[in-house]
């Protein structure tokens, strides 16, 4: 059971906007940054969002992150077939004194 | 370009030991903290351990504390994970990942090294 809670799946048609939630507590999301990763099948995860809402160089602006209280969200706008992947949220947990991950959300492009 | 290449994985019996290595290249290794993150087959990501840039500080997930040891040799640009008393639940793909600190902001990952614990 993961410390951060994500829905197991999400889907949308090409061009749609899909949002993935990540729920935590005051010991993690509430007081720390959130990070989002995309994992394409058979590959290592790739950093999509850092510091809750910052995109690393090279990440399309179709991907955006936000945080409010003890929850965070990743939005994918203009959904494309190549966005079909698993998405994980992560953060630092003050109580556990270490990083924690969400269980992952599988995004399907219909 | 930045490269992280893990090695040392394999099939091992419960209770035995294994050492993973992560060879780094393309960046100044001795200024970055390094993490190990694992992924059980078909499951999510789990943080395992972190070591500071100079090796002076290490932290572990509760699930591996007392059994795993992370270390680094900055003269060889290599990260290690010594895994002792392995359990079936340690079966996973083990990734090394680069971070600027202890937070899970991993900008580069290796391809992973598969560890299978089975009798």
């Amino acid at each position: 059971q993961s410390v951060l809670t994500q829905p197991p799946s999400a889907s949308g048609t090409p061009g749609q906007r899909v949002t993935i939630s990540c729920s935590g507590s005051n010991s993690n999301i509430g007081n720390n940054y959130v990070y989002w990763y995309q994992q394409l099948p058979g590959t290592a995860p790739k950093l999509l969002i850092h510091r809750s809402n910052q995109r690393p160089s090279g990440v399309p602006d179709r991907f955006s992150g936000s945080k409010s209280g003890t929850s965070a969200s990743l939005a994918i706008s203009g959904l494309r077939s190549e966005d079909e992947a698993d998405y994980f949220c992560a953060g630092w947990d003050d109580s556990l004194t270490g990083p924690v991950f969400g269980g992952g959300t599988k995004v399907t492009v219909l | 370009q930045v490269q992280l290449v893990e090695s040392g994985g394999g099939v091992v019996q419960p209770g035995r030991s294994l050492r993973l290595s992560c060879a780094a290249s393309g960046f100044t290794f001795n200024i970055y903290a390094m993490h190990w993150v694992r992924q059980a087959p078909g499951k999510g990501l789990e943080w395992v351990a972190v070591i500071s840039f100079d090796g002076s500080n290490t932290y572990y997930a509760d699930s591996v504390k007392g059994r795993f040891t992370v270390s680094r040799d900055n003269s060889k640009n290599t990260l290690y994970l010594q895994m002792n008393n392995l359990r079936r639940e340690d079966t996973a793909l083990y990734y090394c990942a680069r971070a600027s600190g202890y937070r899970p902001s991993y900008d580069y990952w290796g391809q992973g090294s598969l560890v299978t614990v089975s009798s």
Side-chain angles (χ1 to χ4, degrees):
Chain A
Q1 190 159 336
S2 302
V3 173
L4 305 180
T5 301
Q6 298 180 237
S9 63
S11 63
T13 57
Q16 273 191 329
R17 176 183 170 95
V18 169
T19 301
I20 301 167
S21 62
C22 176
S23 178
S25 66
N26 285 325
S27 67
N28 41 67
I29 293 178
N31 283 310
N32 294 285
Y33 290 125
V34 178
Y35 306 84
W36 288 93
Y37 292 89
Q38 176 194 59
Q39 187 175 34
L40 298 170
T43 69
K46 170 189 172 184
L47 182 64
L48 279 183
I49 298 290
H50 65 103
R51 296 192 173 194
S52 301
N53 58 14
Q54 303 296 305
R55 279 187 309 277
S57 173
V59 174
D61 59 6
R62 302 186 296 106
F63 295 93
S64 62
S66 63
K67 190 186 94 163
S68 178
T70 59
S71 294
S73 295
L74 173 72
I76 311 172
S77 59
L79 194 65
R80 297 183 178 184
S81 58
E82 57 259 38
D83 298 332
E84 195 160 278
D86 292 322
Y87 293 83
F88 296 91
C89 60
W92 177 267
D93 192 289
D94 295 326
S95 297
L96 297 175
T97 318
V100 290
F101 285 92
T105 298
K106 183 175 183 59
V107 169
T108 301
V109 182
L110 302 171
Chain B
Q1 71 282 20
V2 173
Q3 274 199 308
L4 297 170
V5 180
E6 300 95 336
S7 61
V11 179
V12 61
Q13 293 179 329
R16 304 298 288 264
S17 299
L18 206 59
R19 189 178 83 156
L20 302 182
S21 299
C22 169
S25 61
F27 66 101
T28 305
F29 182 68
N30 61 13
I31 66 172
Y32 286 92
M34 295 296 296
H35 295 241
W36 287 99
V37 177
R38 68 185 181 183
Q39 187 170 33
K43 302 297 185 182
L45 301 170
E46 180 188 16
W47 173 74
V48 173
V50 60
I51 186 167
S52 60
F53 68 98
D54 61 356
S56 62
N57 292 296
T58 58
Y59 299 94
Y60 300 91
D62 286 343
S63 58
V64 306
K65 201 173 294 183
R67 300 186 299 122
F68 289 13
T69 302
V70 58
S71 62
R72 64 192 297 161
D73 185 336
N74 285 344
S75 68
K76 296 182 178 179
N77 289 346
T78 302
L79 172 73
Y80 302 100
L81 184 67
Q82 177 66 42
M83 303 183 292
N84 297 332
N85 190 20
L86 281 160
R87 305 168 180 169
R88 286 185 170 81
E89 55 264 36
D90 295 320
T91 294
L93 187 62
Y94 285 73
Y95 293 102
C96 61
R98 188 183 88 166
S100 56
Y102 299 144
R103 269 48 180 173
S105 185
Y106 308 125
D107 54 357
Y108 287 95
W109 298 66
Q111 84 288 350
S113 184
L114 182 61
V115 173
T116 303
V117 183
S118 173
S119 54

